[in-house]
Coordinates of all heavy atoms in Angstrom, one line a residue:
M769 N -63.0 63.3 81.6 CA -63.8 62.1 81.6 C -62.9 61.0 81.0 O -62.2 61.2 80.0 CB -65.1 62.3 80.7 CG -65.9 61.0 80.5 SD -66.8 60.3 81.8 CE -68.1 61.6 82.1
F770 N -62.9 59.9 81.6 CA -62.2 58.7 81.2 C -63.2 57.7 80.6 O -64.2 57.4 81.3 CB -61.4 58.1 82.4 CG -60.4 57.0 82.0 CD1 -59.2 57.3 81.4 CD2 -60.8 55.7 82.2 CE1 -58.3 56.3 81.1 CE2 -59.9 54.7 81.8 CZ -58.6 55.0 81.3
R771 N -63.0 57.2 79.4 CA -63.9 56.3 78.8 C -63.4 54.9 78.6 O -62.2 54.8 78.3 CB -64.3 56.9 77.4 CG -65.4 56.2 76.6 CD -66.7 56.5 77.1 NE -67.0 57.8 77.5 CZ -68.0 58.6 77.1 NH1 -68.8 58.2 76.3 NH2 -68.1 59.8 77.6
H772 N -64.2 53.9 78.8 CA -63.9 52.5 78.6 C -64.9 51.9 77.7 O -66.1 52.0 77.9 CB -64.0 51.8 80.0 CG -63.9 50.3 80.0 ND1 -62.8 49.6 79.5 CD2 -64.8 49.4 80.4 CE1 -63.0 48.3 79.6 NE2 -64.2 48.2 80.2
V773 N -64.4 51.3 76.6 CA -65.3 50.7 75.5 C -64.8 49.3 75.4 O -63.7 49.0 75.2 CB -65.1 51.5 74.2 CG1 -66.0 50.8 73.1 CG2 -65.4 52.9 74.4
V774 N -65.8 48.4 75.4 CA -65.6 46.9 75.3 C -66.5 46.4 74.2 O -67.7 46.7 74.2 CB -65.8 46.2 76.6 CG1 -65.6 44.7 76.4 CG2 -65.0 46.7 77.7
L775 N -66.0 45.6 73.3 CA -66.8 44.9 72.3 C -66.6 43.4 72.6 O -65.5 42.9 72.8 CB -66.3 45.2 70.9 CG -66.4 46.6 70.5 CD1 -65.7 46.8 69.1 CD2 -67.8 47.1 70.5
L776 N -67.8 42.7 72.7 CA -67.8 41.2 73.0 C -68.4 40.5 71.9 O -69.4 40.9 71.3 CB -68.6 41.0 74.3 CG -68.2 41.8 75.5 CD1 -69.2 41.6 76.6 CD2 -66.8 41.4 76.0
Q777 N -67.8 39.3 71.5 CA -68.3 38.4 70.5 C -68.7 37.1 71.2 O -67.9 36.5 71.9 CB -67.2 38.1 69.4 CG -67.7 37.3 68.3 CD -68.8 37.9 67.5 OE1 -68.7 39.1 67.1 NE2 -69.9 37.2 67.3
W778 N -69.9 36.8 71.1 CA -70.4 35.5 71.7 C -70.1 34.3 70.9 O -69.9 34.4 69.7 CB -71.9 35.6 71.9 CG -72.4 36.8 72.7 CD1 -73.5 37.5 72.4 CD2 -71.9 37.3 73.9 NE1 -73.7 38.5 73.3 CE2 -72.7 38.4 74.3 CE3 -70.8 37.0 74.7 CZ2 -72.5 39.2 75.4 CZ3 -70.6 37.8 75.9 CH2 -71.4 38.9 76.2
T779 N -70.0 33.2 71.6 CA -69.8 31.9 70.9 C -71.1 31.6 70.1 O -72.2 32.1 70.4 CB -69.6 30.8 71.9 OG1 -70.7 30.7 72.8 CG2 -68.3 31.0 72.7
E780 N -71.0 30.8 69.1 CA -72.1 30.4 68.3 C -73.2 29.7 69.1 O -74.4 29.8 68.7 CB -71.7 29.6 67.1 CG -70.9 30.4 66.0 CD -70.7 29.6 64.8 OE1 -71.4 28.7 64.5 OE2 -69.7 30.0 64.1
D781 N -72.8 29.0 70.1 CA -73.8 28.3 70.9 C -74.4 29.1 72.1 O -75.1 28.5 72.9 CB -73.2 26.9 71.4 CG -72.0 27.1 72.3 OD1 -71.4 28.1 72.3 OD2 -71.7 26.1 73.0
A782 N -74.0 30.3 72.2 CA -74.6 31.2 73.3 C -76.1 31.3 73.1 O -76.6 31.6 72.0 CB -74.0 32.5 73.2
T783 N -76.9 31.1 74.1 CA -78.3 31.1 74.0 C -78.8 32.5 74.2 O -78.1 33.4 74.8 CB -79.0 30.2 75.0 OG1 -78.7 30.7 76.4 CG2 -78.5 28.8 74.9
E784 N -80.1 32.8 73.8 CA -80.7 34.1 74.1 C -80.8 34.4 75.6 O -80.6 35.5 76.0 CB -82.1 34.1 73.5 CG -82.1 34.5 72.0 CD -81.4 35.8 71.7 OE1 -81.6 36.8 72.4 OE2 -80.5 35.8 70.8
E785 N -81.0 33.3 76.4 CA -81.1 33.5 77.8 C -79.8 33.9 78.4 O -79.7 34.8 79.3 CB -81.6 32.2 78.5 CG -83.0 31.8 78.2 CD -83.2 31.1 76.8 OE1 -82.2 30.7 76.2 OE2 -84.3 31.1 76.3
Q786 N -78.7 33.3 77.9 CA -77.4 33.7 78.4 C -77.0 35.2 78.0 O -76.5 35.9 78.8 CB -76.3 32.8 77.8 CG -76.3 31.4 78.4 CD -75.4 30.5 77.7 OE1 -75.4 30.3 76.5 NE2 -74.5 29.8 78.5
R787 N -77.4 35.5 76.8 CA -77.1 36.9 76.3 C -77.9 37.9 77.1 O -77.4 39.0 77.5 CB -77.5 37.0 74.8 CG -76.6 36.2 73.9 CD -77.1 36.2 72.5 NE -76.4 35.1 71.8 CZ -76.4 35.1 70.4 NH1 -77.0 36.0 69.7 NH2 -75.7 34.1 69.8
A788 N -79.2 37.6 77.4 CA -80.0 38.5 78.2 C -79.5 38.6 79.6 O -79.6 39.7 80.2 CB -81.5 37.9 78.2
E789 N -79.0 37.5 80.2 CA -78.5 37.5 81.5 C -77.2 38.4 81.6 O -77.1 39.2 82.6 CB -78.1 36.1 82.0 CG -77.6 36.1 83.4 CD -78.7 36.4 84.5 OE1 -79.9 36.7 84.2 OE2 -78.3 36.5 85.7
V790 N -76.4 38.4 80.6 CA -75.2 39.3 80.6 C -75.8 40.8 80.6 O -75.3 41.6 81.4 CB -74.4 39.1 79.3 CG1 -73.4 40.3 79.1 CG2 -73.7 37.8 79.3
A791 N -76.7 41.1 79.8 CA -77.2 42.5 79.8 C -77.9 42.8 81.1 O -77.7 44.0 81.6 CB -78.2 42.6 78.6
R792 N -78.6 41.9 81.7 CA -79.3 42.2 82.9 C -78.3 42.5 84.0 O -78.4 43.4 84.8 CB -80.2 41.0 83.3 CG -81.1 41.3 84.6 CD -81.8 40.0 85.0 NE -80.9 39.1 85.6 CZ -80.4 39.2 86.8 NH1 -80.7 40.2 87.6 NH2 -79.6 38.2 87.3
R793 N -77.3 41.6 84.1 CA -76.3 41.7 85.2 C -75.4 43.0 85.0 O -75.1 43.7 85.9 CB -75.4 40.5 85.2 CG -76.1 39.2 85.6 CD -76.3 39.0 87.1 NE -75.0 39.0 87.8 CZ -74.2 38.0 88.1 NH1 -74.6 36.8 87.6 NH2 -73.1 38.1 88.7
L794 N -75.0 43.3 83.7 CA -74.2 44.5 83.5 C -75.0 45.7 83.8 O -74.5 46.7 84.4 CB -73.8 44.5 82.1 CG -72.6 43.6 81.7 CD1 -72.4 43.6 80.2 CD2 -71.4 43.9 82.5
S795 N -76.3 45.7 83.5 CA -77.2 46.9 83.8 C -77.2 47.3 85.3 O -77.4 48.4 85.6 CB -78.6 46.6 83.4 OG -78.6 46.5 82.0
G796 N -77.0 46.3 86.2 CA -77.0 46.6 87.6 C -75.7 47.1 88.1 O -75.6 47.6 89.3
L797 N -74.6 47.1 87.3 CA -73.3 47.5 87.9 C -73.2 49.0 88.3 O -72.6 49.3 89.3 CB -72.2 47.2 86.9 CG -71.9 45.7 86.7 CD1 -70.8 45.5 85.7 CD2 -71.6 45.1 88.0
P798 N -73.9 49.9 87.5 CA -73.8 51.3 88.0 C -74.4 51.6 89.4 O -73.9 52.4 90.1 CB -74.6 52.1 86.9 CG -74.4 51.3 85.7 CD -74.5 49.8 86.2
D799 N -75.4 50.8 89.7 CA -75.9 50.9 91.1 C -75.0 50.4 92.1 O -75.0 50.8 93.3 CB -77.3 50.2 91.2 CG -78.4 51.0 90.4 OD1 -78.2 52.2 90.2 OD2 -79.3 50.3 90.0
A800 N -74.2 49.4 91.8 CA -73.3 48.7 92.7 C -71.9 49.4 92.8 O -71.2 49.2 93.8 CB -73.1 47.3 92.3
I801 N -71.6 50.2 91.8 CA -70.2 50.8 91.7 C -70.4 52.3 91.5 O -70.6 52.8 90.4 CB -69.4 50.2 90.6 CG1 -69.4 48.7 90.7 CG2 -68.0 50.7 90.6 CD1 -68.8 47.9 89.5
P802 N -70.3 53.1 92.6 CA -70.6 54.5 92.5 C -69.6 55.3 91.6 O -69.9 56.4 91.2 CB -70.5 55.0 94.0 CG -70.0 53.9 94.8 CD -70.1 52.6 94.0
E803 N -68.5 54.8 91.3 CA -67.5 55.4 90.5 C -67.9 55.5 89.0 O -67.4 56.3 88.3 CB -66.1 54.8 90.6 CG -65.4 55.0 91.9 CD -65.9 54.1 93.0 OE1 -66.8 53.2 92.8 OE2 -65.4 54.3 94.1
V804 N -68.9 54.7 88.6 CA -69.4 54.8 87.3 C -70.3 56.0 87.1 O -71.2 56.2 87.8 CB -70.3 53.5 87.0 CG1 -70.9 53.6 85.6 CG2 -69.4 52.2 87.1
R805 N -69.9 56.9 86.1 CA -70.6 58.1 85.8 C -71.6 58.0 84.7 O -72.6 58.6 84.7 CB -69.6 59.2 85.5 CG -68.7 59.6 86.6 CD -69.6 60.4 87.7 NE -68.8 60.6 88.9 CZ -68.9 59.9 90.0 NH1 -69.9 59.0 90.1 NH2 -68.2 60.2 91.0
S806 N -71.3 57.2 83.7 CA -72.2 56.9 82.6 C -72.0 55.4 82.2 O -70.9 54.9 82.3 CB -72.0 57.8 81.4 OG -70.7 57.6 80.9
Y807 N -73.1 54.8 81.7 CA -73.0 53.4 81.3 C -74.0 53.1 80.3 O -75.2 53.2 80.5 CB -73.2 52.6 82.6 CG -72.6 51.2 82.6 CD1 -71.2 51.0 82.7 CD2 -73.4 50.1 82.5 CE1 -70.7 49.8 82.7 CE2 -72.9 48.8 82.6 CZ -71.5 48.6 82.7 OH -70.9 47.4 82.7
Q808 N -73.6 52.7 79.1 CA -74.5 52.2 78.1 C -74.0 50.8 77.6 O -72.8 50.6 77.4 CB -74.4 53.2 76.8 CG -74.9 54.6 77.1 CD -73.9 55.5 77.7 OE1 -72.7 55.4 77.3 NE2 -74.2 56.3 78.6
I809 N -75.0 50.0 77.4 CA -74.8 48.7 76.9 C -75.7 48.4 75.8 O -76.8 49.0 75.7 CB -74.9 47.6 78.0 CG1 -76.3 47.5 78.5 CG2 -73.9 47.8 79.1 CD1 -76.6 46.3 79.4
G810 N -75.4 47.5 74.9 CA -76.3 47.1 73.8 C -75.9 46.0 73.0 O -74.7 45.8 72.8
H811 N -76.9 45.2 72.5 CA -76.6 44.2 71.5 C -76.5 44.8 70.1 O -77.1 45.8 69.8 CB -77.8 43.2 71.5 CG -78.1 42.5 72.8 ND1 -77.4 41.4 73.2 CD2 -79.0 42.8 73.8 CE1 -77.8 41.0 74.4 NE2 -78.8 41.9 74.8
D812 N -75.6 44.2 69.3 CA -75.5 44.6 67.9 C -76.8 44.7 67.2 O -77.6 43.8 67.4 CB -74.5 43.7 67.2 CG -74.3 44.2 65.8 OD1 -73.8 45.3 65.6 OD2 -74.6 43.4 64.8
A813 N -77.0 45.8 66.5 CA -78.3 46.0 65.7 C -78.4 45.1 64.5 O -79.5 45.0 64.0 CB -78.4 47.4 65.3
G814 N -77.3 44.4 64.1 CA -77.4 43.5 63.0 C -77.4 44.1 61.6 O -77.8 43.5 60.6
V815 N -77.1 45.4 61.5 CA -77.1 46.1 60.2 C -75.9 45.6 59.3 O -76.1 45.4 58.1 CB -77.1 47.6 60.4 CG1 -77.0 48.3 59.1 CG2 -78.3 48.0 61.2
N816 N -74.7 45.4 60.0 CA -73.5 45.0 59.2 C -73.1 43.6 59.6 O -73.2 43.3 60.8 CB -72.4 46.0 59.5 CG -72.7 47.4 59.0 OD1 -73.3 47.6 57.9 ND2 -72.2 48.4 59.8
E817 N -72.6 42.9 58.7 CA -72.1 41.5 59.0 C -70.7 41.7 59.7 O -70.0 42.7 59.6 CB -71.9 40.7 57.7 CG -73.2 40.4 57.0 CD -73.0 39.5 55.8 OE1 -72.0 38.7 55.8 OE2 -73.8 39.6 54.9
D818 N -70.3 40.6 60.4 CA -69.0 40.5 61.0 C -68.8 41.5 62.2 O -67.7 41.8 62.6 CB -67.9 40.7 60.0 CG -68.0 39.5 59.0 OD1 -68.4 38.4 59.4 OD2 -67.6 39.8 57.8
N819 N -69.9 42.1 62.7 CA -69.7 43.0 63.9 C -69.6 42.1 65.1 O -70.0 40.9 65.1 CB -71.0 43.9 64.1 CG -70.9 45.1 63.2 OD1 -70.0 45.3 62.4 ND2 -72.0 45.9 63.3
Y820 N -69.1 42.8 66.2 CA -69.2 42.1 67.5 C -70.6 42.0 68.0 O -71.5 42.7 67.4 CB -68.3 42.9 68.5 CG -66.9 42.6 68.4 CD1 -66.1 43.2 67.4 CD2 -66.3 41.7 69.3 CE1 -64.7 42.9 67.3 CE2 -64.9 41.4 69.2 CZ -64.1 42.0 68.2 OH -62.8 41.7 68.1
S821 N -70.9 41.1 68.9 CA -72.2 40.9 69.4 C -72.8 41.9 70.3 O -74.0 42.1 70.4 CB -72.3 39.5 70.1 OG -71.7 38.5 69.4
F822 N -71.9 42.5 71.1 CA -72.4 43.3 72.3 C -71.4 44.4 72.6 O -70.1 44.2 72.4 CB -72.5 42.4 73.5 CG -73.3 43.0 74.7 CD1 -74.7 42.9 74.7 CD2 -72.6 43.6 75.7 CE1 -75.4 43.4 75.8 CE2 -73.3 44.1 76.8 CZ -74.7 44.0 76.8
A823 N -71.8 45.6 73.1 CA -70.9 46.7 73.4 C -71.2 47.2 74.8 O -72.4 47.2 75.2 CB -71.0 47.8 72.4
V824 N -70.2 47.7 75.5 CA -70.3 48.4 76.7 C -69.5 49.7 76.6 O -68.3 49.6 76.1 CB -69.7 47.6 77.9 CG1 -69.7 48.4 79.2 CG2 -70.4 46.2 78.0
V825 N -70.1 50.8 76.9 CA -69.4 52.1 76.9 C -69.6 52.7 78.3 O -70.8 53.0 78.7 CB -69.9 53.0 75.8 CG1 -69.2 54.4 75.9 CG2 -69.8 52.4 74.4
A826 N -68.5 52.9 79.0 CA -68.6 53.3 80.4 C -67.8 54.6 80.6 O -66.7 54.7 80.0 CB -68.2 52.3 81.4
G827 N -68.3 55.5 81.4 CA -67.5 56.8 81.7 C -67.2 56.9 83.1 O -68.0 56.5 84.0
F828 N -66.0 57.4 83.4 CA -65.5 57.6 84.8 C -64.9 59.0 84.9 O -64.4 59.5 83.9 CB -64.5 56.5 85.1 CG -65.0 55.1 84.9 CD1 -64.9 54.5 83.6 CD2 -65.7 54.4 85.9 CE1 -65.4 53.2 83.4 CE2 -66.2 53.2 85.7 CZ -66.0 52.6 84.4
D829 N -64.7 59.5 86.1 CA -64.1 60.7 86.3 C -62.6 60.6 86.1 O -61.9 61.6 85.8 CB -64.3 61.3 87.7 CG -65.8 61.8 87.8 OD1 -66.4 62.1 86.8 OD2 -66.3 61.8 89.0
S830 N -62.0 59.5 86.3 CA -60.5 59.3 86.2 C -60.2 57.9 85.9 O -61.0 57.0 86.1 CB -59.9 59.7 87.6 OG -60.3 58.7 88.6
P831 N -58.9 57.7 85.5 CA -58.4 56.3 85.4 C -58.5 55.5 86.7 O -58.8 54.3 86.6 CB -57.0 56.4 84.9 CG -56.9 57.8 84.3 CD -57.9 58.6 85.1
E832 N -58.3 56.1 87.8 CA -58.4 55.4 89.1 C -59.8 54.9 89.3 O -60.0 53.8 89.9 CB -57.9 56.4 90.2 CG -56.5 56.7 90.1 CD -56.1 57.9 89.1 OE1 -57.1 58.6 88.6 OE2 -55.0 58.0 88.8
D833 N -60.8 55.7 89.0 CA -62.2 55.3 89.1 C -62.5 54.1 88.2 O -63.2 53.2 88.6 CB -63.2 56.4 88.8 CG -63.2 57.4 90.0 OD1 -62.7 57.2 91.1 OD2 -63.8 58.5 89.8
Y834 N -61.9 54.1 87.0 CA -62.1 53.0 86.1 C -61.5 51.7 86.7 O -62.1 50.6 86.7 CB -61.4 53.2 84.7 CG -61.1 52.0 84.0 CD1 -62.1 51.2 83.4 CD2 -59.8 51.5 83.9 CE1 -61.8 50.0 82.8 CE2 -59.5 50.3 83.2 CZ -60.5 49.6 82.7 OH -60.3 48.4 82.0
V835 N -60.3 51.8 87.3 CA -59.7 50.7 88.0 C -60.6 50.1 89.1 O -60.7 48.9 89.3 CB -58.3 51.0 88.4 CG1 -57.7 49.9 89.3 CG2 -57.4 51.3 87.2
V836 N -61.2 51.0 89.8 CA -62.2 50.5 90.9 C -63.2 49.6 90.2 O -63.6 48.6 90.7 CB -62.8 51.7 91.6 CG1 -63.9 51.2 92.5 CG2 -61.7 52.4 92.5
Y837 N -63.8 50.1 89.1 CA -64.8 49.4 88.4 C -64.2 48.0 87.9 O -64.8 47.0 88.0 CB -65.3 50.2 87.2 CG -66.1 49.4 86.1 CD1 -67.4 49.1 86.3 CD2 -65.4 49.1 85.0 CE1 -68.1 48.4 85.3 CE2 -66.1 48.4 84.0 CZ -67.4 48.1 84.1 OH -68.1 47.4 83.1
R838 N -63.1 48.1 87.2 CA -62.4 47.0 86.6 C -62.2 45.8 87.6 O -62.4 44.7 87.3 CB -61.1 47.4 86.0 CG -60.4 46.3 85.3 CD -58.9 46.6 85.0 NE -58.2 46.6 86.3 CZ -57.0 47.1 86.4 NH1 -56.3 47.7 85.4 NH2 -56.4 47.1 87.6
D839 N -61.8 46.2 88.8 CA -61.5 45.2 89.9 C -62.6 45.0 90.9 O -62.4 44.2 91.8 CB -60.2 45.7 90.6 CG -59.0 45.8 89.7 OD1 -59.0 45.2 88.6 OD2 -58.1 46.5 90.1
H840 N -63.7 45.6 90.7 CA -64.8 45.5 91.7 C -65.4 44.1 91.6 O -65.6 43.5 90.6 CB -65.9 46.5 91.3 CG -66.9 46.7 92.4 ND1 -67.9 45.8 92.7 CD2 -67.0 47.7 93.3 CE1 -68.6 46.2 93.7 NE2 -68.1 47.3 94.1
P841 N -65.7 43.5 92.8 CA -66.2 42.1 92.9 C -67.5 41.9 92.1 O -67.7 40.8 91.5 CB -66.4 41.9 94.4 CG -65.5 42.8 95.0 CD -65.4 44.0 94.1
A842 N -68.4 42.9 92.0 CA -69.6 42.7 91.3 C -69.3 42.6 89.8 O -69.9 41.8 89.1 CB -70.5 43.9 91.5
H843 N -68.4 43.4 89.3 CA -68.0 43.4 87.9 C -67.3 42.1 87.5 O -67.6 41.4 86.5 CB -67.1 44.6 87.6 CG -66.6 44.6 86.2 ND1 -65.2 44.6 85.9 CD2 -67.2 44.7 85.0 CE1 -65.1 44.6 84.6 NE2 -66.3 44.7 84.0
L844 N -66.4 41.6 88.4 CA -65.7 40.4 88.2 C -66.6 39.2 88.2 O -66.4 38.2 87.4 CB -64.6 40.2 89.2 CG -63.4 41.3 89.1 CD1 -62.5 41.1 90.3 CD2 -62.7 41.2 87.8
A845 N -67.6 39.3 89.0 CA -68.6 38.2 89.1 C -69.4 38.0 87.8 O -69.6 36.9 87.3 CB -69.6 38.4 90.3
V846 N -69.8 39.2 87.2 CA -70.5 39.1 85.9 C -69.6 38.5 84.8 O -70.0 37.7 84.1 CB -71.0 40.5 85.5 CG1 -71.6 40.5 84.1 CG2 -71.9 41.1 86.5
I847 N -68.3 38.9 84.8 CA -67.4 38.3 83.9 C -67.3 36.8 84.0 O -67.4 36.1 83.1 CB -66.0 39.0 84.0 CG1 -66.1 40.5 83.5 CG2 -65.0 38.3 83.1 CD1 -64.9 41.3 83.9
E848 N -67.0 36.4 85.3 CA -66.8 35.0 85.5 C -68.0 34.1 85.3 O -68.0 33.1 84.7 CB -66.3 34.8 87.0 CG -66.0 33.4 87.3 CD -65.5 33.2 88.8 OE1 -65.0 34.1 89.3 OE2 -65.7 32.1 89.3
E849 N -69.2 34.6 85.8 CA -70.4 33.8 85.8 C -71.2 33.9 84.5 O -71.9 32.9 84.1 CB -71.3 34.3 87.0 CG -70.7 34.0 88.3 CD -71.4 34.8 89.4 OE1 -72.5 35.3 89.2 OE2 -70.8 34.8 90.5
C850 N -71.1 35.0 83.8 CA -72.0 35.2 82.6 C -71.3 35.4 81.3 O -71.7 34.8 80.3 CB -72.9 36.4 82.9 SG -74.0 36.3 84.3
I851 N -70.2 36.2 81.3 CA -69.6 36.5 80.1 C -68.6 35.4 79.7 O -68.6 35.0 78.5 CB -68.9 37.9 80.2 CG1 -69.9 39.0 80.4 CG2 -68.0 38.2 79.0 CD1 -69.3 40.4 80.7
A852 N -67.7 35.0 80.5 CA -66.6 34.1 80.2 C -67.2 32.8 79.5 O -66.6 32.3 78.6 CB -65.8 33.8 81.4
P853 N -68.3 32.2 80.1 CA -68.8 31.0 79.5 C -69.2 31.1 78.0 O -69.3 30.1 77.3 CB -70.0 30.6 80.4 CG -69.7 31.3 81.7 CD -69.0 32.6 81.3
I854 N -69.6 32.3 77.5 CA -70.1 32.4 76.2 C -69.2 33.4 75.3 O -69.6 33.8 74.2 CB -71.5 32.9 76.1 CG1 -71.7 34.3 76.8 CG2 -72.4 31.9 76.8 CD1 -73.1 34.9 76.6
L855 N -68.0 33.7 75.8 CA -67.1 34.7 75.1 C -66.3 34.0 74.1 O -65.5 33.1 74.4 CB -66.3 35.4 76.2 CG -65.4 36.5 75.6 CD1 -66.3 37.7 75.1 CD2 -64.5 37.1 76.7
A856 N -66.4 34.5 72.8 CA -65.5 34.0 71.8 C -64.3 35.0 71.5 O -63.2 34.6 71.2 CB -66.3 33.8 70.5
D857 N -64.6 36.3 71.7 CA -63.6 37.3 71.5 C -64.0 38.6 72.2 O -65.1 38.8 72.5 CB -63.5 37.6 70.0 CG -62.2 38.3 69.6 OD1 -61.3 38.4 70.4 OD2 -62.2 38.8 68.5
R858 N -62.9 39.4 72.5 CA -63.1 40.6 73.2 C -62.1 41.6 72.7 O -61.0 41.3 72.4 CB -62.9 40.4 74.7 CG -62.9 41.7 75.5 CD -62.5 41.4 77.0 NE -62.6 42.5 77.8 CZ -61.6 43.4 78.0 NH1 -60.5 43.3 77.3 NH2 -61.7 44.4 78.8
A859 N -62.6 42.9 72.5 CA -61.7 44.0 72.2 C -62.1 45.1 73.1 O -63.3 45.3 73.5 CB -61.9 44.4 70.7
A860 N -61.1 45.9 73.6 CA -61.3 47.0 74.5 C -60.4 48.1 74.2 O -59.3 47.9 73.7 CB -61.2 46.5 75.9
V861 N -60.8 49.3 74.6 CA -60.0 50.5 74.6 C -60.4 51.4 75.7 O -61.6 51.4 76.1 CB -60.0 51.2 73.2 CG1 -61.4 51.7 72.9 CG2 -59.0 52.3 73.1
Q862 N -59.4 52.1 76.3 CA -59.7 53.2 77.3 C -59.1 54.5 76.7 O -58.0 54.4 76.2 CB -59.2 52.9 78.7 CG -59.8 51.7 79.3 CD -59.2 50.4 78.8 OE1 -58.0 50.2 78.6 NE2 -60.0 49.4 78.6
Y863 N -59.8 55.6 76.9 CA -59.2 56.8 76.4 C -59.7 58.0 77.3 O -60.7 57.9 78.0 CB -59.5 57.1 74.9 CG -61.0 57.1 74.6 CD1 -61.7 58.3 74.5 CD2 -61.7 55.9 74.3 CE1 -63.0 58.4 74.2 CE2 -63.0 56.0 74.0 CZ -63.7 57.2 73.9 OH -65.0 57.2 73.6
V864 N -59.1 59.1 77.2 CA -59.4 60.3 77.9 C -60.2 61.3 76.9 O -59.7 61.5 75.8 CB -58.2 61.1 78.5 CG1 -58.6 62.4 79.1 CG2 -57.4 60.1 79.4
L865 N -61.3 61.8 77.4 CA -62.1 62.7 76.5 C -61.5 64.1 76.7 O -61.1 64.5 77.7 CB -63.5 62.7 76.9 CG -64.3 61.5 76.6 CD1 -65.7 61.6 77.1 CD2 -64.4 61.3 75.1

């Protein structure tokens, strides 16, 4: 299993509607991209200060399947249309289980 983890920090002026739209659009990606084997997303629970705002944890059978997801037009559209306008910071890692 190949894992992709992303942490997103929203800008201070990001609205609840914008944040919800990111979650809604990302939730649809597994149906649009068959290479996705597992997909969890979530807003920070707010327990600790200075955390990132949002997380994505995705599983793939191989690095090649991850690249299909990374470069897929549906994924790129979510980034361009929803994430980029409210993104303050991003951290990511990929690893093999």
Side-chain angles (χ1 to χ4, degrees):
M769 174 73 67
F770 188 80
R771 188 72 42 127
H772 169 60
V773 179
V774 179
L775 301 174
L776 304 171
Q777 182 66 47
W778 305 136
T779 60
E780 290 189 22
D781 62 343
T783 67
E784 279 302 314
E785 292 79 17
Q786 289 173 306
R787 296 172 191 197
E789 183 67 4
V790 169
R792 186 187 73 74
R793 295 277 301 274
L794 286 174
S795 294
L797 291 181
D799 291 334
I801 307 170
E803 288 78 6
V804 176
R805 293 290 171 252
S806 64
Y807 205 72
Q808 295 86 37
I809 63 169
H811 299 278
D812 180 61
V815 176
N816 297 322
E817 291 185 32
D818 299 325
N819 281 358
Y820 279 79
S821 307
F822 193 84
V824 177
V825 180
F828 306 90
D829 288 336
S830 67
E832 294 80 14
D833 285 350
Y834 160 71
V835 170
V836 170
Y837 163 82
R838 182 195 70 193
D839 298 341
H840 195 282
H843 179 239
L844 296 175
V846 176
I847 294 169
E848 180 181 335
E849 297 166 11
C850 299
I851 295 173
I854 61 170
L855 186 64
D857 195 16
R858 176 187 181 272
V861 65
Q862 295 80 40
Y863 60 93
V864 177
L865 290 177

